[in-house]
Amino acid sequence: MPELRKDPVTGRWVIIATDRAKRPTDFVRERVQIRGTGFCPFCYKNESKTPPEVLAYRSDASARDTPGWTLRVVPNKFPALGIEGTLNRQGEGLYDKMNGIGAHEVIIETPDHNLTLATMPVARIEDVLWAFRDRVLDLKKDRRFKYILIFKNHGDAAGASLEHTHSQLIALPVVPKRVIEEVEGAKEYYSYRERCVFCDIIRQEAESGVRVIAENQEFIAMAPFAPRFPFEMWLLPKPHRSAFEESQKSEFEQLASILKDMLVRLDKVLDYPAYNYIIHTSPFPDVSNDYYHWHLEIMPKLTKMAGFEWGTGFYINPTPPEESAKFLREASVEATVSSQ
């Protein structure tokens, strides 16, 4: 029989359609492949084809916007929001509007076109995380911005317009509704219990183990109790951390390792699927607090939203999280992850 499950943070309901239960091989999808054909503006020696870099990690003393880099961050050539100008908030009767001010940047994770985040060495993934942190710390100085979303689109089905591995961030002058729902849910839980709801989730999941995929000293990777999508995963720091950008070196080392582990498992179990990941962290300026807990969500693109989902805000998930966690947990990837 199908089962309704309620997300303990947002109160969102999902339908776990157990009568439609799907194994990894049951999903129809296009395998993400790196073809390497055609011109790529993110490749070595094409630095002039992107906007000027705002950050680069280099192993030598090479000049800005030239080869010699291991990671670059550049403004998006076709930004969703523009960095210049004032917000100019206005009311038009009962409607509110403002100028489309924000920052939209691309993190080019490696000069090697043939690598993916799953095949990159752990040390290079750690560099990507440091770049996220460096850019957030810089952009949060701008008082126009209230929130910065870090995200990755991997594969055509996930919205990637270029196959060269990259992530993006967008700084916003407002806090997104989905983040507000999480923050308000966490606040309500804290006001009642004086505990962080995410910390309680971590404790309960670690005790039961049925939805835990992997863990290390600093992080736990698990399938959430009420997942919107099949094989959805959450990565959470075990100690209470409200802001991603306040993470320490040891945490980034451990996060890089478990993130690679999860992406390798996805490729192994689901045959190189498209996916999105997002990092949810505390909005500005109250980034250090006791109620919210930053986390990374990975969502493989295996199903499509249709009329019911759009009309209700419910999600129908054909794979129970206990089963997806088991498939991912039992995937044989240890040698692949530990060797890089």
Side-chain angles (χ1 to χ4, degrees):
M1 176 180 290
E3 190 172 77
L4 278 161
R5 293 192 183 187
K6 185 179 181 181
D7 183 284
V9 182
T10 64
R12 177 186 58 236
W13 288 91
V14 302
I15 298 173
I16 307 297
T18 52
D19 54 336
R20 304 185 191 178
K22 288 192 174 185
R23 298 170 61 85
T25 53
D26 293 337
F27 293 99
V28 178
R29 63 197 174 279
E30 183 177 349
R31 192 174 193 255
V32 176
Q33 295 178 303
I34 307 299
R35 296 177 177 85
T37 57
F39 173 78
C40 175
F42 293 168
C43 280
Y44 239 33
K45 299 184 179 180
N46 291 337
E47 292 79 11
S48 64
K49 304 303 181 183
T50 68
E53 64 195 39
V54 295
L55 174 70
Y57 296 161
R58 297 177 178 274
S59 56
D60 55 24
S62 53
R64 180 180 177 183
D65 296 315
T66 65
W69 53 277
T70 57
L71 176 149
R72 294 179 80 221
V73 182
V74 300
N76 194 304
K77 197 170 184 177
F78 306 101
L81 298 168
I83 191 74
E84 301 295 338
T86 60
L87 293 174
N88 190 26
R89 298 176 186 269
Q90 299 178 47
E92 191 173 292
L94 59 86
Y95 304 115
D96 294 322
K97 64 179 183 179
M98 68 181 81
N99 289 333
I101 299 300
H104 190 173
E105 299 179 355
V106 178
I107 299 89
I108 307 170
E109 298 163 348
T110 172
D112 190 335
H113 190 98
N114 295 314
L115 290 179
T116 68
L117 204 61
T119 58
M120 286 169 56
V122 170
R124 296 284 75 83
I125 298 175
E126 186 182 344
D127 285 346
V128 173
L129 300 173
W130 279 109
F132 292 165
R133 175 185 177 273
D134 288 347
R135 293 309 301 144
V136 169
L137 289 176
D138 183 49
L139 288 167
K140 69 188 290 186
K141 298 173 186 174
D142 192 322
R143 293 181 178 274
R144 297 174 300 173
F145 302 148
K146 304 298 183 186
Y147 194 77
I148 297 175
L149 180 71
I150 297 165
F151 63 97
K152 183 176 181 68
N153 305 329
H154 176 72
D156 291 345
S161 56
L162 292 170
E163 67 178 17
H164 192 126
T165 186
H166 64 283
S167 311
Q168 300 182 63
L169 67 77
I170 297 182
L172 297 161
V174 295
V175 181
K177 185 175 186 296
R178 182 155 291 176
V179 176
I180 290 174
E181 289 173 349
E182 283 191 2
V183 171
E184 292 303 318
K187 278 184 178 178
E188 183 178 357
Y189 187 94
Y190 187 85
S191 67
Y192 181 65
R193 293 180 171 87
E194 296 187 352
R195 300 193 307 270
C196 166
V197 61
F198 293 95
C199 289
D200 279 1
I201 289 171
I202 291 169
R203 278 190 288 270
Q204 182 164 325
E205 294 295 342
E207 287 175 5
S208 73
V210 294
R211 286 176 290 272
V212 174
I213 302 164
E215 58 183 307
N216 57 27
Q217 184 177 349
E218 298 283 353
F219 284 85
I220 187 169
M222 66 183 200
F225 171 75
R228 297 155 293 178
F229 310 106
F231 291 87
E232 178 180 345
M233 293 186 285
W234 289 7
L235 278 59
L236 302 101
K238 289 180 177 179
H240 181 78
R241 294 283 185 270
S242 57
F244 167 82
E245 66 271 21
E246 294 182 351
S247 301
Q248 303 301 309
K249 178 173 174 54
S250 63
E251 293 170 293
F252 279 154
E253 290 172 350
Q254 297 280 303
L255 176 57
S257 176
I258 201 167
L259 176 57
K260 178 181 175 73
D261 185 6
M262 292 304 100
L263 296 179
V264 170
R265 288 175 191 271
L266 273 188
D267 284 350
K268 178 82 172 181
V269 171
L270 297 173
D271 193 27
Y272 301 90
Y275 66 82
N276 302 102
Y277 78 55
I278 59 173
I279 294 177
H280 274 178
T281 187
S282 287
F284 311 145
D286 185 23
V287 295
S288 298
N289 58 70
D290 294 328
Y291 54 83
Y292 192 71
H293 201 115
W294 83 262
H295 56 283
L296 187 152
E297 302 175 11
I298 304 174
M299 295 154 288
K301 300 295 289 185
L302 303 173
T303 56
K304 294 181 179 180
M305 290 181 64
F308 176 78
E309 289 86 350
W310 291 119
T312 62
F314 281 43
Y315 292 82
I316 300 177
N317 183 347
T319 306
E322 296 77 16
E323 291 187 16
S324 65
K326 185 174 185 291
F327 281 119
L328 291 164
R329 187 168 56 243
E330 294 178 354
S332 178
V333 299
E334 184 176 350
T336 305
V337 173
S338 62
S339 65
Q340 298 187 51

